[in-house]
Amino acid sequence: MKATSIVEFVRDTYKTDEFIPLHAPMFDGNEKAYVMETIESSFVSSVGKFVDEFEHKVEAYTGTPKAVATVNGTAALHTALYMAGVQRGDFVITQALTFVATCNALYHMGAEPIFVDISPVSLGICPKAVELFLDEHAEVTETGCIHKKTGRTIKAVVPMHTFGHPVDLDHLVSVCQKWNIVIVEDAAESLGSFYKGKHTGTIGNFGAVSFNGNKIITTGGGGMVLCKSSEIGIRTKHITTTAKIPHPYEFFHDEPGFNYRMPNLNAALGCAQIETIDTFIREKRVLAEKYDELFKGTDLQFVKEPEYAQSNYWLNAIICPNQSVRNEIISETNRMGVMTRPVWKLMNKLPMFKNCLVGDLKYSNWIEGHLINLPSTPKLIITESL
Ligand SMILES: *Cc1c(COP(=O)(O)O)cnc(C)c1O
């Protein structure tokens, strides 16, 4: 299939001759009203009702016992890794195919990533690849899972639900239980994606969500840590809010904390956005179905949700037969004002992670060279109407 057919389909879908982005936020509900309310009340910052309200809405939607709002998704991941007990010098196993934030968060914990392959089904971490790496290089001792050659602890696995498609979590959980490793789910892209009926980010020990402007719903910038119990959630909240002991005027902080609290202004936007998330996801799934139809019987393979999961189809993707087809489609569609792009460069190819340990990255390398992301907003807002 040629780039022109893709451009035609996309233009027909969005009914515009303007530039079409990969993803744009949608404000269809109470966004303006709630944001105005924070301004009128003057509670735009670290105090105000919308932060608690937004946390409760995310708890209800995801079925998580306690959700803690943060300034962005990277901060949520950083907090989750901290709460999961990752320490300086630990190894953390993750996928080579991810957005750099996954690795930045663990780098700033003083931990070092180990990169293993993805599953061609989910495009997220392959539990079998995790197990293969551990079988060959690790042992379980009374202090935890140890990397034999260096004696360092392998503390956690961070699966990332690529483009919203859930990783095979049952399989991953069983591997991690056997090897005494905690799971921190990078669910930044997968709000609204379910694994066997359970929301992504609620199955591992912790989950991290992002509300950046390009994600399925947005707070401008923001994130959330999903915690397994209200007790852990209360401590997580404490850590993200400078670990201050509540008092009308005294300052007392009982441990080193972060200032990762989401401002009330942003939470107001989030409250309005999550009220309409079911509609967004329904529309995104309809768009994905249309793409699936378009590419049926062509040389381009549309990436579909794994059978065990219900995906939010955050970013639609196709896989090309070879790299030159991929390059041509990307350059042609962009030239015609329809944004498409390749997937991230593998993490082990970035200068700061080039010396990290790796497993066999066969599928990661294949996908890196063959995948294209396509415009994925169900409908575009024409700016004049705002
Ligand atoms: C967006 C994203 C993040 C980080 O979110 P921010 O809110 O931008 O900090 C982390 N991991 C993945 C995989 C992401 O796509």
PDB file of all heavy atoms in Angstrom, residues 231-261:
ATOM      1  N   GLU A 231      -2.934   1.822  52.870  1.00  0.00           N
ATOM      2  CA  GLU A 231      -1.770   2.101  53.735  1.00  0.00           C
ATOM      3  C   GLU A 231      -0.563   2.550  52.911  1.00  0.00           C
ATOM      4  O   GLU A 231       0.074   3.557  53.210  1.00  0.00           O
ATOM      5  CB  GLU A 231      -1.357   0.813  54.457  1.00  0.00           C
ATOM      6  CG  GLU A 231      -1.868   0.680  55.855  1.00  0.00           C
ATOM      7  CD  GLU A 231      -1.584  -0.707  56.370  1.00  0.00           C
ATOM      8  OE1 GLU A 231      -1.681  -1.680  55.579  1.00  0.00           O
ATOM      9  OE2 GLU A 231      -1.278  -0.823  57.573  1.00  0.00           O
ATOM     10  N   ILE A 232      -0.265   1.772  51.870  1.00  0.00           N
ATOM     11  CA  ILE A 232       0.874   2.117  51.006  1.00  0.00           C
ATOM     12  C   ILE A 232       0.590   3.444  50.309  1.00  0.00           C
ATOM     13  O   ILE A 232       1.482   4.278  50.155  1.00  0.00           O
ATOM     14  CB  ILE A 232       1.126   0.994  49.970  1.00  0.00           C
ATOM     15  CG1 ILE A 232       1.589  -0.269  50.695  1.00  0.00           C
ATOM     16  CG2 ILE A 232       2.164   1.413  48.927  1.00  0.00           C
ATOM     17  CD1 ILE A 232       1.604  -1.509  49.829  1.00  0.00           C
ATOM     18  N   GLY A 233      -0.664   3.647  49.934  1.00  0.00           N
ATOM     19  CA  GLY A 233      -1.050   4.894  49.278  1.00  0.00           C
ATOM     20  C   GLY A 233      -0.829   6.101  50.167  1.00  0.00           C
ATOM     21  O   GLY A 233      -0.347   7.148  49.700  1.00  0.00           O
ATOM     22  N   ILE A 234      -1.144   5.957  51.440  1.00  0.00           N
ATOM     23  CA  ILE A 234      -0.983   7.079  52.374  1.00  0.00           C
ATOM     24  C   ILE A 234       0.496   7.450  52.502  1.00  0.00           C
ATOM     25  O   ILE A 234       0.877   8.621  52.470  1.00  0.00           O
ATOM     26  CB  ILE A 234      -1.613   6.741  53.748  1.00  0.00           C
ATOM     27  CG1 ILE A 234      -3.150   6.776  53.613  1.00  0.00           C
ATOM     28  CG2 ILE A 234      -1.145   7.704  54.841  1.00  0.00           C
ATOM     29  CD1 ILE A 234      -3.901   6.112  54.743  1.00  0.00           C
ATOM     30  N   ARG A 235       1.355   6.417  52.585  1.00  0.00           N
ATOM     31  CA  ARG A 235       2.796   6.701  52.658  1.00  0.00           C
ATOM     32  C   ARG A 235       3.319   7.285  51.339  1.00  0.00           C
ATOM     33  O   ARG A 235       4.171   8.175  51.336  1.00  0.00           O
ATOM     34  CB  ARG A 235       3.586   5.439  53.022  1.00  0.00           C
ATOM     35  CG  ARG A 235       4.880   5.811  53.744  1.00  0.00           C
ATOM     36  CD  ARG A 235       5.661   4.626  54.215  1.00  0.00           C
ATOM     37  NE  ARG A 235       6.825   4.359  53.375  1.00  0.00           N
ATOM     38  CZ  ARG A 235       7.899   5.134  53.293  1.00  0.00           C
ATOM     39  NH1 ARG A 235       7.975   6.244  54.000  1.00  0.00           N
ATOM     40  NH2 ARG A 235       8.907   4.815  52.528  1.00  0.00           N
ATOM     41  N   THR A 236       2.780   6.823  50.239  1.00  0.00           N
ATOM     42  CA  THR A 236       3.192   7.349  48.931  1.00  0.00           C
ATOM     43  C   THR A 236       2.840   8.831  48.823  1.00  0.00           C
ATOM     44  O   THR A 236       3.638   9.652  48.378  1.00  0.00           O
ATOM     45  CB  THR A 236       2.524   6.549  47.791  1.00  0.00           C
ATOM     46  OG1 THR A 236       2.835   5.165  47.964  1.00  0.00           O
ATOM     47  CG2 THR A 236       3.012   7.009  46.433  1.00  0.00           C
ATOM     48  N   LYS A 237       1.643   9.168  49.280  1.00  0.00           N
ATOM     49  CA  LYS A 237       1.208  10.573  49.274  1.00  0.00           C
ATOM     50  C   LYS A 237       2.143  11.423  50.143  1.00  0.00           C
ATOM     51  O   LYS A 237       2.543  12.531  49.769  1.00  0.00           O
ATOM     52  CB  LYS A 237      -0.227  10.636  49.825  1.00  0.00           C
ATOM     53  CG  LYS A 237      -0.831  12.011  49.808  1.00  0.00           C
ATOM     54  CD  LYS A 237      -1.402  12.299  48.446  1.00  0.00           C
ATOM     55  CE  LYS A 237      -2.112  13.627  48.423  1.00  0.00           C
ATOM     56  NZ  LYS A 237      -2.829  13.805  47.161  1.00  0.00           N
ATOM     57  N   HIS A 238       2.489  10.878  51.314  1.00  0.00           N
ATOM     58  CA  HIS A 238       3.373  11.557  52.254  1.00  0.00           C
ATOM     59  C   HIS A 238       4.722  11.886  51.593  1.00  0.00           C
ATOM     60  O   HIS A 238       5.211  13.013  51.665  1.00  0.00           O
ATOM     61  CB  HIS A 238       3.557  10.615  53.457  1.00  0.00           C
ATOM     62  CG  HIS A 238       4.336  11.190  54.587  1.00  0.00           C
ATOM     63  ND1 HIS A 238       3.925  12.309  55.279  1.00  0.00           N
ATOM     64  CD2 HIS A 238       5.502  10.791  55.171  1.00  0.00           C
ATOM     65  CE1 HIS A 238       4.814  12.568  56.224  1.00  0.00           C
ATOM     66  NE2 HIS A 238       5.779  11.676  56.181  1.00  0.00           N
ATOM     67  N   ILE A 239       5.283  10.882  50.912  1.00  0.00           N
ATOM     68  CA  ILE A 239       6.585  11.027  50.238  1.00  0.00           C
ATOM     69  C   ILE A 239       6.537  12.079  49.120  1.00  0.00           C
ATOM     70  O   ILE A 239       7.482  12.816  48.909  1.00  0.00           O
ATOM     71  CB  ILE A 239       6.986   9.656  49.628  1.00  0.00           C
ATOM     72  CG1 ILE A 239       7.430   8.694  50.721  1.00  0.00           C
ATOM     73  CG2 ILE A 239       8.066   9.788  48.571  1.00  0.00           C
ATOM     74  CD1 ILE A 239       8.732   9.089  51.355  1.00  0.00           C
ATOM     75  N   THR A 240       5.408  12.126  48.402  1.00  0.00           N
ATOM     76  CA  THR A 240       5.332  13.041  47.255  1.00  0.00           C
ATOM     77  C   THR A 240       5.005  14.469  47.678  1.00  0.00           C
ATOM     78  O   THR A 240       4.989  15.381  46.860  1.00  0.00           O
ATOM     79  CB  THR A 240       4.247  12.594  46.240  1.00  0.00           C
ATOM     80  OG1 THR A 240       3.009  12.471  46.926  1.00  0.00           O
ATOM     81  CG2 THR A 240       4.608  11.291  45.581  1.00  0.00           C
ATOM     82  N   THR A 241       4.715  14.666  48.967  1.00  0.00           N
ATOM     83  CA  THR A 241       4.327  15.993  49.446  1.00  0.00           C
ATOM     84  C   THR A 241       5.280  16.457  50.560  1.00  0.00           C
ATOM     85  O   THR A 241       4.844  16.903  51.608  1.00  0.00           O
ATOM     86  CB  THR A 241       2.865  15.989  49.949  1.00  0.00           C
ATOM     87  OG1 THR A 241       2.713  14.929  50.904  1.00  0.00           O
ATOM     88  CG2 THR A 241       1.884  15.761  48.815  1.00  0.00           C
ATOM     89  N   THR A 242       6.575  16.303  50.314  1.00  0.00           N
ATOM     90  CA  THR A 242       7.681  16.727  51.189  1.00  0.00           C
ATOM     91  C   THR A 242       7.711  16.040  52.551  1.00  0.00           C
ATOM     92  O   THR A 242       8.413  16.473  53.471  1.00  0.00           O
ATOM     93  CB  THR A 242       7.731  18.267  51.413  1.00  0.00           C
ATOM     94  OG1 THR A 242       6.607  18.663  52.205  1.00  0.00           O
ATOM     95  CG2 THR A 242       7.738  19.040  50.097  1.00  0.00           C
ATOM     96  N   ALA A 243       6.954  14.954  52.709  1.00  0.00           N
ATOM     97  CA  ALA A 243       6.936  14.191  53.961  1.00  0.00           C
ATOM     98  C   ALA A 243       6.661  15.089  55.172  1.00  0.00           C
ATOM     99  O   ALA A 243       7.277  14.946  56.228  1.00  0.00           O
ATOM    100  CB  ALA A 243       8.248  13.415  54.133  1.00  0.00           C
ATOM    101  N   LYS A 244       5.729  15.991  55.005  1.00  0.00           N
ATOM    102  CA  LYS A 244       5.400  16.941  56.081  1.00  0.00           C
ATOM    103  C   LYS A 244       4.344  16.341  56.999  1.00  0.00           C
ATOM    104  O   LYS A 244       3.366  15.767  56.536  1.00  0.00           O
ATOM    105  CB  LYS A 244       4.873  18.241  55.464  1.00  0.00           C
ATOM    106  CG  LYS A 244       4.628  19.333  56.505  1.00  0.00           C
ATOM    107  CD  LYS A 244       4.170  20.634  55.854  1.00  0.00           C
ATOM    108  CE  LYS A 244       4.064  21.772  56.854  1.00  0.00           C
ATOM    109  NZ  LYS A 244       2.999  21.598  57.846  1.00  0.00           N
ATOM    110  N   ILE A 245       4.592  16.476  58.287  1.00  0.00           N
ATOM    111  CA  ILE A 245       3.580  16.067  59.275  1.00  0.00           C
ATOM    112  C   ILE A 245       2.557  17.210  59.376  1.00  0.00           C
ATOM    113  O   ILE A 245       2.946  18.356  59.618  1.00  0.00           O
ATOM    114  CB  ILE A 245       4.232  15.810  60.661  1.00  0.00           C
ATOM    115  CG1 ILE A 245       5.318  14.721  60.556  1.00  0.00           C
ATOM    116  CG2 ILE A 245       3.180  15.446  61.707  1.00  0.00           C
ATOM    117  CD1 ILE A 245       4.842  13.352  60.136  1.00  0.00           C
ATOM    118  N   PRO A 246       1.275  16.902  59.143  1.00  0.00           N
ATOM    119  CA  PRO A 246       0.278  17.977  59.128  1.00  0.00           C
ATOM    120  C   PRO A 246       0.262  18.762  60.441  1.00  0.00           C
ATOM    121  O   PRO A 246       0.300  18.173  61.529  1.00  0.00           O
ATOM    122  CB  PRO A 246      -1.058  17.230  58.945  1.00  0.00           C
ATOM    123  CG  PRO A 246      -0.695  15.900  58.392  1.00  0.00           C
ATOM    124  CD  PRO A 246       0.672  15.579  58.920  1.00  0.00           C
ATOM    125  N   HIS A 247       0.267  20.073  60.320  1.00  0.00           N
ATOM    126  CA  HIS A 247       0.201  20.959  61.486  1.00  0.00           C
ATOM    127  C   HIS A 247      -0.203  22.329  60.974  1.00  0.00           C
ATOM    128  O   HIS A 247       0.253  22.728  59.897  1.00  0.00           O
ATOM    129  CB  HIS A 247       1.555  21.012  62.205  1.00  0.00           C
ATOM    130  CG  HIS A 247       1.488  21.710  63.534  1.00  0.00           C
ATOM    131  ND1 HIS A 247       1.491  23.090  63.647  1.00  0.00           N
ATOM    132  CD2 HIS A 247       1.398  21.221  64.788  1.00  0.00           C
ATOM    133  CE1 HIS A 247       1.399  23.408  64.923  1.00  0.00           C
ATOM    134  NE2 HIS A 247       1.328  22.294  65.648  1.00  0.00           N
ATOM    135  N   PRO A 248      -1.018  23.075  61.693  1.00  0.00           N
ATOM    136  CA  PRO A 248      -1.478  24.374  61.204  1.00  0.00           C
ATOM    137  C   PRO A 248      -0.345  25.350  60.880  1.00  0.00           C
ATOM    138  O   PRO A 248      -0.470  26.176  59.988  1.00  0.00           O
ATOM    139  CB  PRO A 248      -2.342  24.921  62.337  1.00  0.00           C
ATOM    140  CG  PRO A 248      -2.652  23.766  63.212  1.00  0.00           C
ATOM    141  CD  PRO A 248      -1.625  22.702  62.970  1.00  0.00           C
ATOM    142  N   TYR A 249       0.772  25.297  61.596  1.00  0.00           N
ATOM    143  CA  TYR A 249       1.852  26.248  61.287  1.00  0.00           C
ATOM    144  C   TYR A 249       3.273  25.724  61.488  1.00  0.00           C
ATOM    145  O   TYR A 249       4.217  26.296  60.999  1.00  0.00           O
ATOM    146  CB  TYR A 249       1.668  27.564  62.080  1.00  0.00           C
ATOM    147  CG  TYR A 249       1.314  27.373  63.531  1.00  0.00           C
ATOM    148  CD1 TYR A 249       2.312  27.143  64.467  1.00  0.00           C
ATOM    149  CD2 TYR A 249      -0.024  27.421  63.953  1.00  0.00           C
ATOM    150  CE1 TYR A 249       1.979  26.953  65.790  1.00  0.00           C
ATOM    151  CE2 TYR A 249      -0.355  27.235  65.274  1.00  0.00           C
ATOM    152  CZ  TYR A 249       0.648  26.996  66.203  1.00  0.00           C
ATOM    153  OH  TYR A 249       0.326  26.804  67.495  1.00  0.00           O
ATOM    154  N   GLU A 250       3.445  24.602  62.181  1.00  0.00           N
ATOM    155  CA  GLU A 250       4.808  24.091  62.400  1.00  0.00           C
ATOM    156  C   GLU A 250       5.309  23.306  61.178  1.00  0.00           C
ATOM    157  O   GLU A 250       4.524  22.634  60.516  1.00  0.00           O
ATOM    158  CB  GLU A 250       4.831  23.128  63.595  1.00  0.00           C
ATOM    159  CG  GLU A 250       4.476  23.749  64.925  1.00  0.00           C
ATOM    160  CD  GLU A 250       5.668  24.401  65.627  1.00  0.00           C
ATOM    161  OE1 GLU A 250       6.791  24.353  65.067  1.00  0.00           O
ATOM    162  OE2 GLU A 250       5.453  24.961  66.708  1.00  0.00           O
ATOM    163  N   PHE A 251       6.611  23.396  60.921  1.00  0.00           N
ATOM    164  CA  PHE A 251       7.223  22.575  59.883  1.00  0.00           C
ATOM    165  C   PHE A 251       7.904  21.374  60.511  1.00  0.00           C
ATOM    166  O   PHE A 251       8.892  21.528  61.240  1.00  0.00           O
ATOM    167  CB  PHE A 251       8.293  23.378  59.134  1.00  0.00           C
ATOM    168  CG  PHE A 251       7.713  24.366  58.170  1.00  0.00           C
ATOM    169  CD1 PHE A 251       7.692  25.722  58.475  1.00  0.00           C
ATOM    170  CD2 PHE A 251       7.198  23.942  56.952  1.00  0.00           C
ATOM    171  CE1 PHE A 251       7.179  26.632  57.582  1.00  0.00           C
ATOM    172  CE2 PHE A 251       6.681  24.858  56.052  1.00  0.00           C
ATOM    173  CZ  PHE A 251       6.659  26.201  56.357  1.00  0.00           C
ATOM    174  N   PHE A 252       7.422  20.192  60.244  1.00  0.00           N
ATOM    175  CA  PHE A 252       8.184  19.014  60.614  1.00  0.00           C
ATOM    176  C   PHE A 252       8.043  17.963  59.531  1.00  0.00           C
ATOM    177  O   PHE A 252       6.943  17.612  59.140  1.00  0.00           O
ATOM    178  CB  PHE A 252       7.754  18.455  61.977  1.00  0.00           C
ATOM    179  CG  PHE A 252       8.645  17.329  62.432  1.00  0.00           C
ATOM    180  CD1 PHE A 252       9.923  17.591  62.910  1.00  0.00           C
ATOM    181  CD2 PHE A 252       8.218  15.997  62.331  1.00  0.00           C
ATOM    182  CE1 PHE A 252      10.777  16.540  63.291  1.00  0.00           C
ATOM    183  CE2 PHE A 252       9.066  14.951  62.708  1.00  0.00           C
ATOM    184  CZ  PHE A 252      10.341  15.227  63.195  1.00  0.00           C
ATOM    185  N   HIS A 253       9.196  17.500  59.036  1.00  0.00           N
ATOM    186  CA  HIS A 253       9.236  16.509  57.960  1.00  0.00           C
ATOM    187  C   HIS A 253       9.977  15.297  58.509  1.00  0.00           C
ATOM    188  O   HIS A 253      11.081  15.438  59.020  1.00  0.00           O
ATOM    189  CB  HIS A 253       9.962  17.070  56.743  1.00  0.00           C
ATOM    190  CG  HIS A 253       9.425  18.404  56.286  1.00  0.00           C
ATOM    191  ND1 HIS A 253       8.505  18.532  55.288  1.00  0.00           N
ATOM    192  CD2 HIS A 253       9.685  19.662  56.735  1.00  0.00           C
ATOM    193  CE1 HIS A 253       8.214  19.811  55.123  1.00  0.00           C
ATOM    194  NE2 HIS A 253       8.919  20.515  55.996  1.00  0.00           N
ATOM    195  N   ASP A 254       9.374  14.110  58.419  1.00  0.00           N
ATOM    196  CA  ASP A 254       9.989  12.963  59.102  1.00  0.00           C
ATOM    197  C   ASP A 254      10.844  12.054  58.222  1.00  0.00           C
ATOM    198  O   ASP A 254      11.375  11.064  58.700  1.00  0.00           O
ATOM    199  CB  ASP A 254       8.914  12.155  59.849  1.00  0.00           C
ATOM    200  CG  ASP A 254       7.898  11.546  58.900  1.00  0.00           C
ATOM    201  OD1 ASP A 254       7.900  11.906  57.696  1.00  0.00           O
ATOM    202  OD2 ASP A 254       7.108  10.708  59.357  1.00  0.00           O
ATOM    203  N   GLU A 255      10.975  12.370  56.931  1.00  0.00           N
ATOM    204  CA  GLU A 255      11.903  11.620  56.064  1.00  0.00           C
ATOM    205  C   GLU A 255      12.150  12.451  54.798  1.00  0.00           C
ATOM    206  O   GLU A 255      11.421  13.411  54.543  1.00  0.00           O
ATOM    207  CB  GLU A 255      11.359  10.220  55.726  1.00  0.00           C
ATOM    208  CG  GLU A 255      10.012  10.221  55.046  1.00  0.00           C
ATOM    209  CD  GLU A 255       9.485   8.802  54.771  1.00  0.00           C
ATOM    210  OE1 GLU A 255      10.235   7.995  54.193  1.00  0.00           O
ATOM    211  OE2 GLU A 255       8.327   8.530  55.116  1.00  0.00           O
ATOM    212  N   PRO A 256      13.167  12.065  54.000  1.00  0.00           N
ATOM    213  CA  PRO A 256      13.402  12.837  52.768  1.00  0.00           C
ATOM    214  C   PRO A 256      12.227  12.654  51.810  1.00  0.00           C
ATOM    215  O   PRO A 256      11.834  11.527  51.524  1.00  0.00           O
ATOM    216  CB  PRO A 256      14.669  12.210  52.176  1.00  0.00           C
ATOM    217  CG  PRO A 256      15.250  11.364  53.253  1.00  0.00           C
ATOM    218  CD  PRO A 256      14.134  10.959  54.145  1.00  0.00           C
ATOM    219  N   GLY A 257      11.669  13.745  51.351  1.00  0.00           N
ATOM    220  CA  GLY A 257      10.483  13.655  50.486  1.00  0.00           C
ATOM    221  C   GLY A 257      10.708  14.260  49.122  1.00  0.00           C
ATOM    222  O   GLY A 257      11.769  14.823  48.837  1.00  0.00           O
ATOM    223  N   PHE A 258       9.722  14.108  48.267  1.00  0.00           N
ATOM    224  CA  PHE A 258       9.713  14.770  46.959  1.00  0.00           C
ATOM    225  C   PHE A 258       8.673  15.886  46.991  1.00  0.00           C
ATOM    226  O   PHE A 258       7.727  15.817  47.770  1.00  0.00           O
ATOM    227  CB  PHE A 258       9.281  13.801  45.855  1.00  0.00           C
ATOM    228  CG  PHE A 258      10.152  12.595  45.679  1.00  0.00           C
ATOM    229  CD1 PHE A 258       9.717  11.333  46.078  1.00  0.00           C
ATOM    230  CD2 PHE A 258      11.405  12.708  45.084  1.00  0.00           C
ATOM    231  CE1 PHE A 258      10.514  10.213  45.888  1.00  0.00           C
ATOM    232  CE2 PHE A 258      12.203  11.585  44.886  1.00  0.00           C
ATOM    233  CZ  PHE A 258      11.761  10.332  45.297  1.00  0.00           C
ATOM    234  N   ASN A 259       8.829  16.884  46.114  1.00  0.00           N
ATOM    235  CA  ASN A 259       7.727  17.804  45.872  1.00  0.00           C
ATOM    236  C   ASN A 259       7.145  17.454  44.509  1.00  0.00           C
ATOM    237  O   ASN A 259       7.469  18.066  43.499  1.00  0.00           O
ATOM    238  CB  ASN A 259       8.192  19.259  45.898  1.00  0.00           C
ATOM    239  CG  ASN A 259       7.054  20.204  45.544  1.00  0.00           C
ATOM    240  OD1 ASN A 259       5.883  19.823  45.637  1.00  0.00           O
ATOM    241  ND2 ASN A 259       7.374  21.407  45.130  1.00  0.00           N
ATOM    242  N   TYR A 260       6.334  16.419  44.502  1.00  0.00           N
ATOM    243  CA  TYR A 260       5.796  15.880  43.249  1.00  0.00           C
ATOM    244  C   TYR A 260       4.288  16.072  43.161  1.00  0.00           C
ATOM    245  O   TYR A 260       3.639  15.511  42.306  1.00  0.00           O
ATOM    246  CB  TYR A 260       6.131  14.392  43.135  1.00  0.00           C
ATOM    247  CG  TYR A 260       7.515  14.105  42.587  1.00  0.00           C
ATOM    248  CD1 TYR A 260       8.012  12.808  42.577  1.00  0.00           C
ATOM    249  CD2 TYR A 260       8.330  15.122  42.078  1.00  0.00           C
ATOM    250  CE1 TYR A 260       9.264  12.509  42.054  1.00  0.00           C
ATOM    251  CE2 TYR A 260       9.583  14.837  41.572  1.00  0.00           C
ATOM    252  CZ  TYR A 260      10.046  13.530  41.557  1.00  0.00           C
ATOM    253  OH  TYR A 260      11.288  13.232  41.039  1.00  0.00           O
ATOM    254  N   ARG A 261       3.705  16.857  44.061  1.00  0.00           N
ATOM    255  CA  ARG A 261       2.250  17.016  44.092  1.00  0.00           C
ATOM    256  C   ARG A 261       1.714  17.669  42.824  1.00  0.00           C
ATOM    257  O   ARG A 261       2.299  18.611  42.306  1.00  0.00           O
ATOM    258  CB  ARG A 261       1.874  17.857  45.308  1.00  0.00           C
ATOM    259  CG  ARG A 261       0.425  17.871  45.610  1.00  0.00           C
ATOM    260  CD  ARG A 261       0.119  18.834  46.753  1.00  0.00           C
ATOM    261  NE  ARG A 261      -1.310  19.041  46.787  1.00  0.00           N
ATOM    262  CZ  ARG A 261      -2.139  18.432  47.623  1.00  0.00           C
ATOM    263  NH1 ARG A 261      -1.668  17.606  48.528  1.00  0.00           N
ATOM    264  NH2 ARG A 261      -3.431  18.644  47.560  1.00  0.00           N
TER     265      ARG A 261
END
